[in-house]
């Protein structure tokens, strides 16, 4: 009888240790510790760097490694098992959701955490910094009679290019006059040295006037004003309130795609981005927070 008990305890011990090993393999991190690789649209590098810095300061045992890429490469990571979090300007389609579920055996989730604007920049010596949407449509399609050079962070695969193709050109191709820089930084550098260049990039690269680096960029380039979408008319800059009111015409979402089988570091970071602190960081970076309310109230000076 004692022999049977010993055998039973031995079997129980082996099963328990195997279970612990499997559990560790399935849960290599927690919300506050471990290593997480994320795939992130390069347009959002400044604001996401700030979010990661604060999160790692709050949880010293957590390490988040962001791989900044053109958006199409981020979308390709929908089916990469090792990438549990993707930050881009769109979530998954129903077809993509099914593919993720079938291939990775995980139910993906998507969260819009902020709203961003595509900024238009010009050289400080440029003769014109006021544009209508139609002006820019003609420019990027190659049909403008103005001697201007449109500059993007790539000719394909980036979220800025996709936005212009979908929302401005409505499916028509970019013109042969379009110049491709290697990155958003490259757009700033090109416009800074080219008097007749017109650049397109995410506002998180230039919108934070409290950031010394971004202030230095604004000495090299100038933000252009676009024709407002509201009935009052006028030309507006991509500032936070006008993103909120959608008076600025070029607005897009910042979306997190989460595909984690357990509550680990990816869940923890997404929850942080949606929390008061994460939303405040978006607000301080001059994007508009999508989760926490940012009230606009009428005031009267007496």
């Amino acid at each position: 009888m004692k022999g049977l008990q010993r055998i039973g305890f031995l079997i129980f011990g082996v099963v328990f240790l195997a279970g612990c090993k499997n559990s560790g393999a399935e849960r290599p991190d927690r919300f506050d510790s471990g290593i997480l690789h994320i795939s992130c649209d390069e347009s959002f590098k400044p604001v996401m760097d700030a979010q990661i810095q604060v999160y790692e300061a709050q949880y010293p045992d957590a390490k988040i490694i962001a791989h900044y890429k053109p958006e199409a490469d981020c979308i390709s990571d929908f089916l990469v098992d090792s990438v549990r979090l993707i930050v881009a300007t769109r979530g998954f389609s129903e077809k993509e959701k099914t593919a993720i579920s079938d291939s990775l055996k995980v139910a993906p989730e998507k969260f819009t955490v902020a709203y961003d604007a595509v900024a238009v920049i010009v050289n400080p010596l440029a003769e014109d910094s006021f544009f209508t949407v139609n002006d820019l449509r003609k420019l990027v399609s190659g049909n403008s009679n103005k001697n201007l050079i449109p500059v993007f962070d790539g000719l394909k695969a980036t979220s800025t290019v996709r936005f212009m193709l979908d929302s401005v050109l409505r499916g028509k191709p970019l013109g042969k006059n379009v110049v491709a820089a290697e990155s958003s930084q490259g757009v700033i550098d090109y416009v800074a040295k080219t008097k007749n260049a017109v650049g397109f990039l995410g506002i998180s690269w230039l919108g934070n006037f409290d950031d010394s680096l971004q202030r230095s960029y604004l000495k090299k380039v100038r933000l252009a004003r676009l024709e407002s979408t509201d009935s009052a008319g006028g030309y507006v800059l991509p500032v936070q309130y006008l993103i909120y009111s959608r008076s600025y015409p070029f607005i897009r979402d910042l979306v997190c795609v989460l595909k984690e089988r357990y509550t680990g570091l990816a869940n923890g970071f997404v929850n942080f981005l949606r929390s008061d602190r994460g939303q405040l960081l978006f607000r301080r970076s001059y994007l508009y927070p999508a989760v926490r309310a940012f009230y606009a109230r009428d005031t009267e000076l007496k």
Side-chain angles (χ1 to χ4, degrees):
M1 189 71 177
K2 290 182 178 179
L4 290 174
Q5 288 179 335
R6 287 180 186 147
I7 292 172
F9 280 124
L10 180 61
I11 293 172
F12 173 79
V14 171
V15 172
F16 177 77
L17 290 174
C20 290
K21 185 177 181 180
N22 289 336
S23 176
E26 289 296 318
R27 300 175 65 89
D29 54 62
R30 294 163 24 106
F31 77 93
D32 59 352
S33 61
I35 298 175
L36 173 68
H37 291 264
I38 71 173
S39 181
C40 187
D41 184 341
E42 186 268 345
S43 292
F44 301 121
K45 185 178 187 300
V47 66
M48 292 308 298
D49 278 349
Q51 295 280 8
I52 291 169
Q53 181 181 10
V54 173
Y55 192 81
E56 291 180 343
Q58 183 171 331
Y59 302 110
D61 293 330
K63 179 65 176 176
I64 299 174
I65 301 171
H67 301 274
Y68 293 106
K69 310 175 180 182
E71 185 179 65
D73 292 341
C74 295
I75 302 306
S76 296
D77 287 338
F78 281 172
L79 298 178
V80 176
D81 194 24
S82 60
V83 179
R84 290 175 279 149
L85 178 61
I86 295 158
V87 180
T89 65
R90 74 167 180 89
F92 44 77
S93 64
E94 285 302 312
K95 184 178 179 180
E96 289 166 335
K97 180 179 181 180
T98 301
I100 295 169
S101 300
D102 291 346
S103 299
L104 305 181
K105 309 304 179 187
V106 61
E109 299 177 89
K110 58 184 176 182
F111 306 91
T112 299
V113 294
Y115 299 107
D116 174 55
V118 174
V120 180
I121 59 173
V122 296
N123 186 277
L125 299 178
E127 297 178 0
D128 193 2
S129 61
F130 290 73
F131 300 100
T132 67
V133 172
N134 195 45
D135 289 335
L136 296 176
R137 183 179 295 115
K138 289 180 179 179
L139 175 62
V140 299
S141 65
N143 295 316
S144 176
N145 57 9
K146 296 181 179 179
N147 183 29
L148 298 174
I149 304 170
V151 187
F152 287 92
D153 51 355
L155 283 181
K156 59 182 180 179
T158 75
S159 59
T160 307
V161 170
R162 185 175 67 83
F163 178 88
M164 297 302 289
L165 289 172
D166 293 349
S167 301
V168 179
L169 293 176
R170 296 168 188 166
K172 294 181 179 179
L174 293 171
K176 294 181 179 180
N177 60 325
V178 172
V179 170
E182 293 185 356
S183 63
S184 297
Q185 178 69 64
V187 173
I188 295 171
D189 294 340
Y190 188 96
V191 173
K193 66 182 183 182
T194 310
K195 182 180 176 181
N196 62 333
V198 178
F200 300 84
L201 73 167
I203 189 57
S204 73
W205 280 87
L206 292 166
N208 188 352
F209 302 107
D210 297 323
D211 184 281
S212 59
L213 180 60
Q214 295 194 25
R215 288 201 306 272
S216 73
Y217 291 157
L218 289 170
K219 294 179 181 178
K220 300 176 182 179
V221 300
R222 182 158 43 115
L223 282 169
R225 293 175 181 265
L226 304 190
E227 186 178 26
S228 172
T229 61
D230 61 34
S231 57
Y235 289 79
V236 295
L237 292 169
V239 297
Q240 195 172 56
Y241 174 71
L242 297 177
I243 296 174
Y244 160 74
S245 66
R246 296 191 173 267
S247 298
Y248 187 78
F250 291 172
I251 299 171
R252 59 187 182 178
D253 296 351
L254 193 163
V255 181
C256 291
V257 173
L258 179 66
K259 47 191 184 74
E260 187 170 62
R261 296 185 181 88
Y262 55 91
T263 306
L265 190 49
N267 269 276
F269 188 54
V270 170
N271 287 336
F272 173 78
L273 296 177
R274 303 177 74 232
S275 71
D276 288 343
R277 197 169 189 185
Q279 292 286 286
L280 180 60
L281 282 169
F282 283 126
R283 181 177 171 183
R284 290 186 63 182
S285 297
Y286 292 85
L287 276 69
Y288 184 75
V291 180
R292 296 293 188 261
F294 177 63
Y295 295 105
R297 296 187 177 91
D298 293 329
T299 60
E300 182 179 350
L301 296 176
K302 295 183 179 180

